[in-house]
Amino acid sequence: MIGAGGWGWHVYQTQHRGAARYPVQGVVLTQADGYQDFGALHAAGVDFAYLKATEGASYFDDDFTPNYDRGIGTPVRIGVYHYFSFDSTPSAQAAHFLTKVGRDLGTLPIGIYLTYYGRYADEPPAPAKWRPALQTFITTIQRATGKRVVLMGSQSLLKQCSTVAPDAPRWVIGATRWPSADYWQDGVKRFGGYTAVAFTGTVAAFAQQ
Protein backbone atom coordinates (compact mmCIF):
# COMPACT_ATOMS: atom_id res chain seq x y z
CA MET A 1 0.00 0.00 0.00
CA ILE A 2 2.81 2.39 0.86
CA GLY A 3 4.55 1.60 -2.42
CA ALA A 4 1.37 2.11 -4.40
CA GLY A 5 0.72 5.37 -2.61
CA GLY A 6 4.25 6.56 -3.33
CA TRP A 7 3.88 5.74 -7.02
CA GLY A 8 0.52 7.51 -7.16
CA TRP A 9 2.05 10.62 -5.65
CA HIS A 10 4.92 10.45 -8.15
CA VAL A 11 2.44 10.30 -11.06
CA TYR A 12 0.44 13.18 -9.58
CA GLN A 13 3.57 15.30 -9.19
CA THR A 14 4.71 14.47 -12.72
CA GLN A 15 1.36 15.42 -14.25
CA HIS A 16 0.65 18.46 -12.07
CA ARG A 17 3.87 20.43 -11.94
CA GLY A 18 4.92 23.42 -13.98
CA ALA A 19 2.20 24.86 -16.17
CA ALA A 20 0.08 21.73 -15.68
CA ARG A 21 -0.94 22.82 -12.19
CA TYR A 22 -3.18 25.62 -13.47
CA PRO A 23 -6.91 24.98 -13.95
CA VAL A 24 -7.13 26.24 -17.56
CA GLN A 25 -5.10 24.19 -20.04
CA GLY A 26 -4.49 24.66 -23.75
CA VAL A 27 -2.43 23.59 -26.74
CA VAL A 28 -0.63 25.29 -29.62
CA LEU A 29 -1.31 23.73 -33.02
CA THR A 30 0.31 24.04 -36.44
CA GLN A 31 0.07 22.05 -39.66
CA ALA A 32 2.76 19.75 -38.25
CA ASP A 33 0.12 18.46 -35.83
CA GLY A 34 -2.26 17.50 -38.64
CA TYR A 35 -5.97 16.74 -38.32
CA GLN A 36 -7.53 17.63 -34.98
CA ASP A 37 -10.44 16.05 -33.13
CA PHE A 38 -11.39 18.90 -30.81
CA GLY A 39 -13.96 16.81 -29.01
CA ALA A 40 -11.24 14.35 -28.05
CA LEU A 41 -8.93 17.19 -27.03
CA HIS A 42 -11.61 18.64 -24.78
CA ALA A 43 -12.24 15.22 -23.24
CA ALA A 44 -8.50 15.01 -22.49
CA GLY A 45 -8.64 18.29 -20.57
CA VAL A 46 -7.92 20.92 -23.23
CA ASP A 47 -9.83 24.16 -22.65
CA PHE A 48 -8.37 26.24 -25.48
CA ALA A 49 -6.26 25.90 -28.61
CA TYR A 50 -4.18 28.49 -30.47
CA LEU A 51 -3.85 27.81 -34.19
CA LYS A 52 -0.96 29.14 -36.23
CA ALA A 53 -2.41 31.19 -39.07
CA THR A 54 0.32 33.17 -40.81
CA GLU A 55 4.03 33.92 -40.75
CA GLY A 56 5.63 37.01 -42.21
CA ALA A 57 4.02 38.33 -45.37
CA SER A 58 3.61 35.11 -47.37
CA TYR A 59 3.23 31.93 -45.28
CA PHE A 60 -0.21 30.49 -44.45
CA ASP A 61 -0.61 27.34 -42.37
CA ASP A 62 -2.13 24.57 -44.52
CA ASP A 63 -4.33 23.23 -41.73
CA PHE A 64 -5.49 26.52 -40.28
CA THR A 65 -8.87 26.73 -42.03
CA PRO A 66 -9.94 23.08 -41.64
CA ASN A 67 -8.89 22.99 -37.99
CA TYR A 68 -10.53 26.33 -37.30
CA ASP A 69 -13.77 25.06 -38.82
CA ARG A 70 -13.59 21.87 -36.75
CA GLY A 71 -12.77 23.65 -33.53
CA ILE A 72 -14.92 26.76 -33.47
CA GLY A 73 -18.15 24.92 -32.67
CA THR A 74 -16.73 22.85 -29.80
CA PRO A 75 -16.20 23.60 -26.09
CA VAL A 76 -12.52 24.26 -26.88
CA ARG A 77 -12.02 28.02 -27.21
CA ILE A 78 -10.04 28.93 -30.30
CA GLY A 79 -7.32 31.54 -30.67
CA VAL A 80 -5.23 32.37 -33.74
CA TYR A 81 -1.66 33.61 -33.94
CA HIS A 82 0.78 35.24 -36.35
CA TYR A 83 4.52 34.54 -36.42
CA PHE A 84 6.10 38.00 -36.59
CA SER A 85 8.90 38.55 -39.11
CA PHE A 86 11.82 40.96 -38.82
CA ASP A 87 12.28 40.79 -42.60
CA SER A 88 8.83 41.90 -43.82
CA THR A 89 7.20 45.27 -43.32
CA PRO A 90 4.46 45.48 -40.70
CA SER A 91 1.95 46.70 -43.29
CA ALA A 92 2.65 43.71 -45.57
CA GLN A 93 2.35 41.29 -42.64
CA ALA A 94 -0.89 42.85 -41.44
CA ALA A 95 -2.40 42.75 -44.92
CA HIS A 96 -1.41 39.10 -45.30
CA PHE A 97 -2.83 38.14 -41.91
CA LEU A 98 -6.12 39.97 -42.45
CA THR A 99 -6.56 38.57 -45.96
CA LYS A 100 -5.86 34.95 -45.03
CA VAL A 101 -7.69 34.85 -41.72
CA GLY A 102 -10.68 36.97 -42.65
CA ARG A 103 -13.34 36.62 -39.98
CA ASP A 104 -11.79 33.47 -38.50
CA LEU A 105 -10.39 35.32 -35.49
CA GLY A 106 -11.52 33.01 -32.71
CA THR A 107 -12.73 34.08 -29.28
CA LEU A 108 -9.36 34.81 -27.65
CA PRO A 109 -6.82 37.62 -28.10
CA ILE A 110 -4.86 37.43 -31.38
CA GLY A 111 -1.46 35.93 -30.66
CA ILE A 112 1.75 37.50 -31.97
CA TYR A 113 4.64 35.08 -31.73
CA LEU A 114 8.09 36.63 -31.32
CA THR A 115 11.40 34.82 -31.59
CA TYR A 116 14.89 35.44 -32.94
CA TYR A 117 14.80 32.92 -35.79
CA GLY A 118 17.50 31.89 -38.26
CA ARG A 119 20.44 34.24 -38.43
CA TYR A 120 18.87 36.47 -35.78
CA ALA A 121 19.46 33.78 -33.17
CA ASP A 122 23.18 34.63 -33.32
CA GLU A 123 22.85 38.30 -34.22
CA PRO A 124 19.55 39.65 -32.83
CA PRO A 125 18.27 42.86 -34.40
CA ALA A 126 18.31 45.92 -32.18
CA PRO A 127 14.96 46.27 -30.36
CA ALA A 128 14.92 49.96 -31.26
CA LYS A 129 14.61 48.90 -34.90
CA TRP A 130 11.85 46.28 -34.60
CA ARG A 131 9.74 47.65 -31.74
CA PRO A 132 8.14 50.38 -33.90
CA ALA A 133 7.35 47.81 -36.60
CA LEU A 134 5.74 45.51 -34.05
CA GLN A 135 3.64 48.37 -32.68
CA THR A 136 2.54 49.33 -36.20
CA PHE A 137 1.51 45.74 -36.90
CA ILE A 138 -0.47 45.56 -33.67
CA THR A 139 -2.18 48.89 -34.26
CA THR A 140 -3.14 47.89 -37.79
CA ILE A 141 -4.73 44.58 -36.91
CA GLN A 142 -6.46 45.95 -33.83
CA ARG A 143 -8.07 48.72 -35.85
CA ALA A 144 -9.18 46.20 -38.46
CA THR A 145 -10.48 43.55 -36.05
CA GLY A 146 -11.34 45.34 -32.82
CA LYS A 147 -9.62 42.55 -30.89
CA ARG A 148 -6.93 42.49 -28.23
CA VAL A 149 -3.55 40.87 -28.80
CA VAL A 150 -1.33 38.67 -26.66
CA LEU A 151 2.45 38.84 -27.13
CA MET A 152 4.14 35.42 -27.13
CA GLY A 153 7.86 34.86 -26.56
CA SER A 154 10.70 34.20 -24.15
CA GLN A 155 10.94 36.25 -20.98
CA SER A 156 14.00 38.11 -22.24
CA LEU A 157 12.39 38.99 -25.56
CA LEU A 158 9.13 40.08 -23.95
CA LYS A 159 11.10 42.37 -21.64
CA GLN A 160 12.61 44.02 -24.72
CA CYS A 161 9.16 44.99 -25.94
CA SER A 162 7.60 45.91 -22.59
CA THR A 163 6.62 49.33 -23.95
CA VAL A 164 4.77 47.82 -26.92
CA ALA A 165 1.05 47.34 -26.23
CA PRO A 166 1.79 47.45 -22.49
CA ASP A 167 -1.79 46.60 -21.55
CA ALA A 168 -1.86 43.46 -23.71
CA PRO A 169 -1.49 40.09 -21.96
CA ARG A 170 1.86 38.32 -22.16
CA TRP A 171 2.55 34.66 -23.00
CA VAL A 172 5.93 33.52 -21.73
CA ILE A 173 7.74 30.57 -23.30
CA GLY A 174 10.30 28.88 -21.08
CA ALA A 175 10.89 26.54 -18.17
CA THR A 176 10.28 29.29 -15.63
CA ARG A 177 7.03 31.22 -15.37
CA TRP A 178 7.32 35.01 -15.59
CA PRO A 179 5.16 36.26 -12.67
CA SER A 180 3.37 38.87 -14.78
CA ALA A 181 2.60 36.47 -17.65
CA ASP A 182 -1.02 35.55 -18.33
CA TYR A 183 -0.06 32.41 -20.27
CA TRP A 184 2.81 30.00 -19.68
CA GLN A 185 4.21 27.58 -22.26
CA ASP A 186 6.75 25.59 -20.27
CA GLY A 187 8.06 23.37 -23.07
CA VAL A 188 6.47 20.18 -21.75
CA LYS A 189 4.44 18.10 -24.21
CA ARG A 190 1.04 17.03 -22.94
CA PHE A 191 -2.27 15.65 -24.20
CA GLY A 192 -0.60 13.02 -26.34
CA GLY A 193 2.45 15.02 -27.35
CA TYR A 194 1.02 18.44 -28.19
CA THR A 195 2.74 21.72 -27.30
CA ALA A 196 0.97 22.65 -24.07
CA VAL A 197 0.27 26.04 -22.53
CA ALA A 198 -1.68 27.14 -19.47
CA PHE A 199 -3.64 30.26 -18.64
CA THR A 200 -2.18 31.24 -15.28
CA GLY A 201 -5.25 32.99 -13.88
CA THR A 202 -8.57 31.68 -12.66
CA VAL A 203 -11.32 30.06 -14.68
CA ALA A 204 -13.40 33.23 -14.22
CA ALA A 205 -10.55 35.42 -15.47
CA PHE A 206 -10.09 33.21 -18.52
CA ALA A 207 -13.77 33.64 -19.37
CA GLN A 208 -13.04 37.37 -19.72
CA GLN A 209 -10.23 36.86 -22.25
Side-chain angles (χ1 to χ4, degrees):
M1 290 293 290
I2 294 175
W7 174 250
W9 177 247
H10 169 74
V11 171
Y12 178 86
Q13 288 287 80
T14 300
Q15 295 179 344
H16 294 82
R17 62 188 179 190
R21 69 179 182 267
Y22 294 96
V24 181
Q25 294 289 312
V27 291
V28 183
L29 301 172
T30 73
Q31 65 183 39
D33 297 302
Y35 173 91
Q36 297 303 317
D37 182 338
F38 288 90
L41 284 175
H42 185 256
V46 175
D47 301 297
F48 67 95
Y50 263 84
L51 311 181
K52 183 176 182 179
T54 52
E55 180 175 334
S58 59
Y59 176 89
F60 182 55
D61 190 284
D62 289 342
D63 283 337
F64 173 78
T65 299
N67 277 333
Y68 186 93
D69 291 342
R70 292 187 192 105
I72 199 64
T74 72
V76 178
R77 291 187 65 184
I78 301 298
V80 306
Y81 77 93
H82 170 80
Y83 188 121
F84 188 77
S85 170
F86 302 113
D87 299 300
S88 304
T89 66
S91 58
Q93 293 187 64
H96 177 58
F97 174 82
L98 294 169
T99 298
K100 290 297 186 180
V101 173
R103 296 182 179 181
D104 294 343
L105 297 168
T107 63
L108 294 169
I110 296 170
I112 303 173
Y113 179 78
L114 304 167
T115 188
Y116 289 137
Y117 54 85
R119 68 182 185 278
Y120 297 122
D122 296 321
E123 298 181 6
K129 292 184 177 180
W130 59 260
R131 274 194 301 251
L134 176 60
Q135 183 62 70
T136 297
F137 175 79
I138 292 171
T139 300
T140 303
I141 63 170
Q142 285 188 314
R143 285 176 177 170
T145 66
K147 291 181 66 70
R148 299 177 72 201
V149 300
V150 54
L151 298 185
M152 312 157 73
S154 67
Q155 182 174 334
S156 61
L157 201 155
L158 290 177
K159 284 182 176 180
Q160 293 175 20
C161 59
S162 61
T163 59
V164 177
D167 295 330
R170 262 47 177 179
W171 171 318
V172 69
I173 301 171
T176 303
R177 184 206 164 196
W178 191 14
S180 60
D182 299 89
Y183 295 83
W184 180 19
Q185 182 180 326
D186 64 3
V188 178
K189 301 285 187 178
R190 299 187 183 90
F191 310 109
Y194 292 101
T195 299
V197 60
F199 177 73
T200 60
T202 64
V203 173
F206 180 70
Q208 301 301 314
Q209 291 291 296

